[in-house]
Structure formats: C-alpha cells, structure tokens
Amino acid sequence: MSEKLMSRKKPAFPISDKLHEYLNEYSRNTKIPIFYEDLLRFAGSTVLYDNNDEDTLWIRVFYNEFDRQEIDLSLKRVYSSLHSDGSDRILQFLNVDAIDFCTFGNSQPFRVKVRNILNDNYTYFYVKKADASRIYGLELEHMLSPYNLNFLVYKDTLIEEHISGIPGDVFIKEMLPECTEPEKAQIAKEFVKFNERCMIRLLGDMRSYNYVIVPTHDFDHVVYRIRAIDFDQQCFEGKFKVYRPQFFKENRIMVDMVRDKLQRSSVDQYKIEERSIVAKRLIGYHERIEELLDCAKSDTISYEENVENLKMELLEFVQDIEFKKAGNMGEVLEAALDFVKRNYEDVSMKRLLHGPNKGL
C-alpha cells in the first residue's frame, strides 16, 4: 500500500531568507565549524550489521589522518553548541568514537557518536543537508507534540539531536509479541493519538521505521510513547492518506491492534483528546506559530499539483471552505491548524455558556 501512496522522490527545498530570519530569532541559526559536504570526504568505509548479521544500511566511514583531526575537533565544537554553551571548555573531555553514513532515504545523514571520556557516557547527533521541509517539520514537532527538539542550522547544513527510542519496525517485529494485553491496549491508544497528531500537522510518511517507541517505567508498569524521527515529508505529498500512518502497510499490525483492543467510542475519545492538546499548544505558541506559517506561506515546499490535490481532499474530508482558498502548502497547513483551533475554541465557548452537562 505504501508504495502506491508515495510519489516520486522528494527534492530538497532551500531555506529561504525569511525562514533563516525566523531561525535566527529563535536561536536555531548559528555558525558551526563544519559543513555536511566536509563529511563526504571520507577515504574508506565498512558496512554495519546488526545483531542478526543483517545490513543496517549504515556504513562506518574513515578519513585520512589530517582530515580526521580537523573533523573530530569541529564535531566536538558542534556538540558543545548543540548540548552546552558552545565554549571549548568541555572539548578535552570528549571523543568522537564513530562517524556513520546512511545510504538509505532522502537525507543520507551522518550519525556522529560522541563519548565523554571521564565516564564513558555517549550520545549521538546527526549532520544532514538542510531542507526547508525538514525545518518546518522539526519546528512543528517542537511546538505541537509533547516533545521538545534541539537542532541547529548553518547555511545549508542541519544538525539534529538524536531521538532515543526503539525503531518502530524493530519493536513491532521483536518486542510487541512479548507485550502483555494491557500493554498492547496502551500502545494501541498511543498509535491512535500519534496518527491524529501527524494528520493534523500534515507530517507524512510515518512508516514504522520513521518513528520510535519509547518505553518509560512508571511505578509498577511500563508506559509506551510514539515519537516521529523523520521530518522529511512535512507538507509535501498531495495524497491525504500519506499524512495518516494508519494507511501504511508497515503499520498494519498497529492498526489491527487498535481494532482488537479499543472500542470505537474509545478511539473517538482519544482523537478528541489529541486534537484538544494540539489546539492548546497552538494557542500557547500562537505568536511563534504565526511567524512560522508566514514563512511557509511565502515559501515553496511542494509541487503545485500536490497542493491542488491535497487541499481538495481536505476540503472533502472536513467540509471547510478555507482549504479551497489555499494557494500553496503553507496556506493548506494554516487552514488545517486553524480548523483544529477553531473547533476547540467553539466547543470550549459552548461549554462556558451552557455548563459541562448541557448542550454537549
């Protein structure tokens, strides 16, 4: 199913001057000592395999001695800017253990493993080619999801922090069968909410390998959350189904679990909960969202035929004439977010006027 949903390979869209100004305002734009292209100068590589001896589609890259010293120092400084105050004070305690390159997907990122030599704690960050779609996706995730995101942009290079979790495809294959029935019901609930959140903010291509499952121990049980990790397909595709994870074959097991574990009324309740939470975040981030949407409305992040198709599908889905007026993807996104916020405010006003047990 997913192969038919997705169109041809998405291009990378440049970051406009207006979007750069927005990133400056919110401390996302900063000068860093290395570019994505610098990491492409590797002299050799070796394939990385997982514990089952299967190709991970990542390769470990190596540089000649002179380049490696310069690159290591630059990456340590990037780490300091991303996770600390940007000074050189912590550099002596850091070591770049590995640099890996992904041969799969649109972004072809570099994954950098940085270790603190004092205690052997380590973390990752990613170096990618900057793409306007991904920037919009990261910012919307930061403001409209339960999770904050840390990233930096310098010209055409993007630095992203690592999002911890178990890849969805790995979890579904290896860990979901071992979950208890109550745990499966809780995961089903989270998938409903995740599906709704992606649909509302038009984040596409959430196949199982583009999100992670995050287990958290809470008293006597484990709580599972679902987080997106790939924001390449923000507001690009023209098919509405692409923005609804339930329609990808890779998520079929999750959809079946929702059907088996949740009643229709519960599914509807969880959808309303997620829409309300997103609406509250839209209100809380009102000024910043408006500035981001102003950038998107003056930007080109999709093809004209995708815009026309998506806005008509959304018009049919929600019966809101504002979608028909949209001239580009930024305006389609604005109409989608405004629709959610208006509905929340209308319901809240009715409850205020009629009381909690009247009208609704």
Side-chain angles (χ1 to χ4, degrees):
M1 183 186 297
S2 56
E3 288 78 12
K4 296 180 181 179
L5 285 180
M6 304 296 291
S7 65
R8 60 188 185 274
K9 183 177 179 180
K10 174 192 164 296
F13 294 99
I15 299 177
S16 66
D17 291 341
K18 191 168 186 176
L19 183 54
H20 268 301
E21 291 175 6
Y22 169 91
L23 295 170
N24 271 328
E25 180 178 356
Y26 292 100
S27 301
R28 300 293 203 188
N29 224 346
T30 186
K31 188 173 183 179
I32 56 177
I34 195 167
F35 292 101
Y36 176 86
E37 286 79 7
D38 295 329
L39 296 180
L40 292 173
R41 303 199 310 259
F42 53 87
S45 65
T46 182
V47 176
L48 292 180
Y49 296 94
D50 62 18
N51 293 332
N52 298 317
D53 289 328
E54 295 182 4
D55 189 350
T56 63
L57 302 178
W58 288 85
I59 59 174
R60 181 145 297 167
V61 298
F62 307 99
Y63 301 85
N64 65 51
E65 185 175 355
F66 175 77
D67 283 342
R68 181 66 195 230
Q69 291 177 356
E70 180 184 357
I71 286 172
D72 277 12
L73 179 59
S74 296
L75 291 174
K76 291 176 187 178
R77 285 178 170 149
V78 169
Y79 175 92
S80 178
S81 296
L82 188 66
H83 291 291
S84 187
D85 59 2
S87 72
D88 288 352
R89 287 177 295 177
I90 65 171
L91 301 188
Q92 60 183 315
F93 307 120
L94 303 177
N95 188 71
V96 177
D97 279 6
I99 303 173
D100 302 327
F101 178 64
C102 184
T103 57
F104 175 73
N106 284 338
S107 60
Q108 295 191 316
F110 285 92
R111 181 178 62 198
V112 181
K113 180 180 179 181
V114 178
R115 178 172 54 90
N116 185 310
I117 62 176
L118 297 179
N119 52 37
D120 279 341
N121 285 330
Y122 63 86
T123 188
Y124 298 93
F125 66 84
Y126 297 85
V127 182
K128 302 179 179 180
K129 192 79 171 177
D131 171 27
S133 301
R134 187 171 289 107
I135 301 299
Y136 288 117
L138 287 165
E139 275 292 288
L140 289 169
E141 179 75 3
H142 177 76
M143 290 184 276
L144 301 184
S145 84
Y147 315 104
N148 293 331
L149 277 179
N150 193 13
F151 68 92
L152 298 172
V153 179
Y154 181 52
K155 295 185 178 179
D156 60 353
T157 295
L158 169 66
I159 308 295
E160 281 185 38
E161 69 175 351
H162 175 66
I163 298 175
S164 299
I166 304 163
D169 54 341
V170 174
F171 183 90
I172 290 170
K173 180 181 178 181
E174 299 180 6
M175 301 176 186
L176 184 58
E178 304 301 320
C179 290
T180 64
E181 296 309 305
E183 286 174 339
K184 289 180 179 178
Q186 196 264 324
I187 294 168
K189 167 189 172 182
E190 287 303 313
F191 186 79
V192 170
K193 291 194 164 194
F194 178 68
N195 188 82
E196 195 72 9
R197 190 160 64 244
C198 292
M199 179 185 70
I200 289 171
R201 41 79 60 95
L202 300 181
L203 176 62
D205 193 20
M206 281 299 107
R207 286 175 275 190
S208 56
Y209 49 78
N210 285 332
Y211 60 80
V212 293
I213 311 293
V214 185
T216 304
H217 290 270
D218 183 25
F219 293 105
D220 59 348
H221 67 292
V222 179
V223 177
Y224 296 89
R225 297 286 186 260
I226 303 177
R227 291 193 64 176
I229 58 172
D230 191 332
F231 305 94
D232 180 64
Q233 290 286 342
Q234 176 68 52
C235 296
F236 172 72
E237 290 285 347
K239 297 177 182 176
F240 183 39
K241 286 184 177 180
V242 174
Y243 303 102
R244 305 173 74 185
Q246 69 188 78
F247 287 106
F248 287 100
K249 67 179 183 181
E250 291 86 351
N251 296 325
R252 179 64 58 82
I253 291 177
M254 302 289 267
V255 174
D256 291 342
M257 194 164 61
V258 170
R259 187 179 298 113
D260 294 340
K261 298 296 179 183
L262 303 180
Q263 297 180 0
R264 182 72 249 179
S265 58
S266 294
V267 172
D268 292 340
Q269 172 196 337
Y270 297 143
K271 287 182 177 180
I272 291 171
E273 287 179 6
E274 192 61 31
R275 289 175 206 158
S276 300
I277 291 171
V278 171
K280 290 175 183 177
R281 293 191 182 108
L282 281 168
I283 294 169
Y285 276 103
H286 174 73
E287 184 175 335
R288 185 165 174 174
I289 288 282
E290 287 296 313
E291 290 183 43
L292 186 68
L293 288 174
D294 281 344
C295 294
K297 289 187 293 183
S298 64
D299 215 340
T300 299
I301 51 176
S302 186
Y303 300 128
E304 186 175 339
E305 58 267 29
N306 287 359
V307 175
E308 291 301 314
N309 192 76
L310 180 60
K311 74 179 189 181
M312 297 312 294
E313 287 192 20
L314 284 167
L315 174 63
E316 182 178 356
F317 186 71
V318 300
Q319 301 296 307
D320 185 348
I321 195 65
E322 294 301 318
F323 286 104
K324 192 173 183 179
K325 301 176 183 177
N328 59 33
M329 272 299 183
E331 293 178 2
V332 174
L333 175 63
E334 181 180 51
L337 298 180
D338 280 350
F339 177 81
V340 172
K341 187 168 69 171
R342 284 201 319 272
N343 276 268
Y344 170 78
E345 291 172 336
D346 288 347
V347 170
S348 297
M349 182 57 68
K350 288 178 182 177
R351 285 181 176 155
L352 182 65
L353 294 175
H354 301 293
N357 297 318
K358 300 178 182 179
L360 298 177

